[in-house]
């Protein structure tokens, strides 16, 4: 199965393209003001730094939007809040509502027109409710993102970019220390908003730090999803409960393929080290084709299971697409 998602290759969002600036220092005091004084009014949502939110949707993306509209129009009212919260950035966009209006105009069936009209009205009310309910969550995620960013600072309180290996690992420790429920859409929305604000203020170094945070996030959640999927598969195969399945997975860790183990290693290192580590792996016991296949399997089993159009899907998919590009380039 091929991956077809609401993303464009090599988005600047994760910072995989070479930076167009030299190493620089960012005073901690300036950054503290940036972190604490930010408000949504300072960064219009349509200026998101996530690729795919800055342009007109492609045919494939439009197909995904249409699929979301169809599912939402057929959903029961009490199911909308949960569905909307998982893809709030897409569902609340003007383009999404414009597409609903376009489909209503194109519809020849009176019942279909009525369903789409009711959907638009219900979405407005649902979005308002979801935004209100998630304010506390956003505040909590903002505190967690700030801890991750602070971990990038040197001992003297300054941020030196490109980040040293020690600073990247400090950021990774903060991200990996967060619970799974913390690494959600609110977490990504906060990073997106701060990255956009930094870009507007000309703080290119802070943009790079935010990109690093996204890369670490992607590697962390993908690794966790792979472990969880392995446990679920083991449970299905063994016919046992989850506790027994976890024990089975632990017992069979030594049987993991070289490609799978190596992919886990790549998910937990700085992306700047990928080329060197991939070369070492291929020169030893890892086959290039097997590694690409392992990444593709992860795309199909993990990424395609995420909410269509969500930030989580965009970021994780782009991360794995870049990894495939790096492997194939060796």
């Amino acid at each position: 199965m091929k991956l077809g998602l609401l993303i464009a290759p090599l988005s600047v969002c994760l910072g995989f393209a070479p930076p167009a600036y030299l190493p620089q220092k960012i005073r901690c005091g300036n950054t503290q003001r940036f972190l604490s004084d930010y408000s949504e009014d300072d960064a219009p949502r349509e200026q998101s730094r996530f690729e795919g939110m800055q342009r007109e949707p492609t045919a494939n993306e439009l197909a995904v939007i249409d699929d979301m509209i169809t599912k939402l129009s057929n959903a029961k009212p009490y199911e909308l809040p949960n569905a909307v919260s998982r893809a709030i950035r897409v569902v609340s966009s003007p383009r999404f509502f414009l597409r609903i209006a376009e489909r209503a105009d194109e519809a020849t069936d009176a019942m279909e027109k009525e369903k789409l009209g009711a959907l638009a009205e219900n979405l407005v009310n649902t979005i308002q409710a979801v935004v209100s309910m998630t304010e506390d969550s956003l505040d909590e995620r903002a505190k967690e993102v700030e801890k991750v960013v602070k971990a990038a600072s040197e001992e003297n309180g300054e941020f030196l970019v490109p980040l040293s290996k020690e600073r990247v690992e400090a950021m990774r420790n903060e991200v990996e220390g967060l619970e799974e429920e913390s690494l959600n859409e609110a977490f990504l929305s906060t990073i997106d908003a701060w990255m956009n604000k930094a870009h507007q203020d000309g703080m290119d170094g802070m943009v790079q730090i935010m990109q690093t945070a996204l890369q670490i996030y992607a590697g962390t959640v993908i690794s966790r999803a792979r472990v969880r999927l392995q446990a679920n598969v083991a449970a299905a195969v063994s016919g046992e409960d989850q506790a027994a399945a976890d024990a089975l997975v632990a017992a069979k860790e030594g049987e993991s393929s070289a490609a799978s183990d190596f992919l886990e290693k790549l998910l937990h290192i700085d992306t700047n080290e990928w080329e060197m580590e991939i070369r070492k792996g291929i020169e030893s016991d890892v086959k290039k084709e097997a590694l690409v296949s392992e990444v593709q399997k992860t795309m199909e089993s993990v990424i395609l299971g995420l909410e269509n159009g969500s930030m989580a899907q965009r970021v994780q998919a782009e991360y794995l697409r870049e990894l495939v590009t790096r492997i194939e380039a060796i």
Side-chain angles (χ1 to χ4, degrees):
M1 181 185 296
K2 296 296 183 182
L3 186 68
L5 302 170
L6 283 172
I7 55 174
L10 304 185
S11 153
V12 298
C13 167
L14 295 192
F16 289 126
Y21 47 85
L22 297 174
Q24 55 188 281
K25 291 183 179 179
I26 308 173
R27 289 284 176 183
C28 184
N30 292 340
T31 305
Q32 289 297 328
R33 289 198 297 273
F34 158 62
L35 294 176
S36 60
D37 294 347
Y38 171 77
S39 70
E40 284 291 342
D41 293 336
D42 295 327
R45 292 175 63 160
E46 62 270 22
Q47 295 300 318
S48 168
R49 295 286 290 166
F50 282 93
E51 186 71 16
M53 295 183 182
Q54 308 174 49
R55 53 178 171 76
E56 286 298 310
T58 64
N60 287 339
E61 293 171 352
L62 201 58
V64 173
I65 291 176
D66 280 337
D67 181 59
M68 293 176 68
I69 290 173
T70 299
K71 289 180 179 178
L72 289 174
S73 65
N74 292 325
K76 295 178 175 60
Y78 63 81
E79 296 175 332
L80 284 180
N82 189 39
V84 168
S85 64
R86 292 197 302 267
I88 184 68
R89 207 62 177 269
V90 175
V91 175
S92 64
S93 67
R95 189 66 189 83
F96 194 83
F97 279 87
L98 178 60
R99 184 55 183 164
I100 294 176
E102 291 172 348
R103 286 187 50 171
D105 290 340
E106 295 169 359
T108 57
D109 183 75
M111 184 172 293
E112 180 68 13
K113 284 181 178 288
E114 184 177 347
K115 283 175 60 178
L116 290 170
L119 173 63
E121 183 177 349
N122 289 337
L123 280 180
V124 171
N125 296 329
T126 301
I127 289 169
Q128 291 175 343
V130 168
V131 169
S132 176
M133 288 188 298
T134 56
E135 284 181 351
D136 290 341
S137 176
L138 286 171
D139 288 341
E140 287 299 314
R141 300 298 83 79
K143 293 176 183 177
E144 291 164 347
V145 172
E146 187 164 355
K147 289 181 181 179
V148 174
V149 173
K150 283 182 177 179
S153 65
E154 301 292 333
E155 291 183 0
N156 61 4
E158 293 183 341
F159 294 85
L160 180 62
V161 292
L163 296 171
S164 66
K165 184 174 181 178
E166 291 73 21
R167 292 304 92 213
V168 173
E169 286 307 307
M171 292 178 68
R172 188 181 308 281
N173 289 337
E174 287 291 339
V175 173
E176 292 182 347
L178 295 175
E179 296 295 332
E180 184 173 351
E181 57 266 24
S182 294
L183 298 174
N184 56 14
E185 291 291 293
F187 182 86
L188 293 175
S189 294
T190 301
I191 294 180
D192 182 31
W194 289 6
M195 184 160 56
N196 179 48
K197 176 63 174 171
H199 176 69
Q200 290 178 344
D201 291 347
M203 299 175 67
D204 292 337
M206 184 54 65
V207 171
Q208 184 177 346
I209 291 171
M210 294 297 179
Q211 290 168 339
T212 300
L214 286 176
Q215 294 168 7
I216 294 172
Y217 154 84
T220 300
V221 296
I222 291 171
S223 176
R224 291 179 181 180
R226 279 166 49 84
V227 172
R228 186 167 58 251
L229 181 65
Q230 186 181 15
N232 291 340
V233 171
V237 172
S238 65
E240 301 289 346
D241 59 20
Q242 192 60 54
D246 291 341
L248 180 62
V249 170
K252 291 193 174 184
E253 280 184 346
E255 300 176 13
S256 298
S257 69
S260 179
D261 290 343
F262 190 66
L263 175 55
E264 277 301 312
K265 178 179 180 180
L266 295 177
L267 294 175
H268 292 280
I269 64 174
D270 187 358
T271 57
N272 290 328
E273 300 177 10
W274 273 353
E275 284 88 352
M276 179 180 66
E277 292 299 327
I278 292 171
R279 289 184 185 279
K280 288 181 180 179
I282 292 176
E283 290 171 358
S284 57
D285 61 342
V286 179
K287 293 183 178 180
K288 180 176 177 179
E289 295 76 13
L291 184 56
V292 170
S293 175
E294 188 66 30
V295 178
Q296 293 287 359
K297 284 196 305 183
T298 299
M299 285 184 176
E300 295 170 6
S301 60
V302 175
I303 308 304
L304 292 179
L306 298 172
E307 185 74 21
N308 275 341
S310 65
M311 287 189 180
Q313 190 185 63
R314 292 171 186 270
V315 173
Q316 294 176 47
E318 182 187 330
Y319 179 88
L320 291 179
R321 285 165 62 98
E322 176 67 15
L323 179 53
V324 170
T325 300
R326 302 280 186 94
I327 297 170
E328 292 178 338
I330 300 300

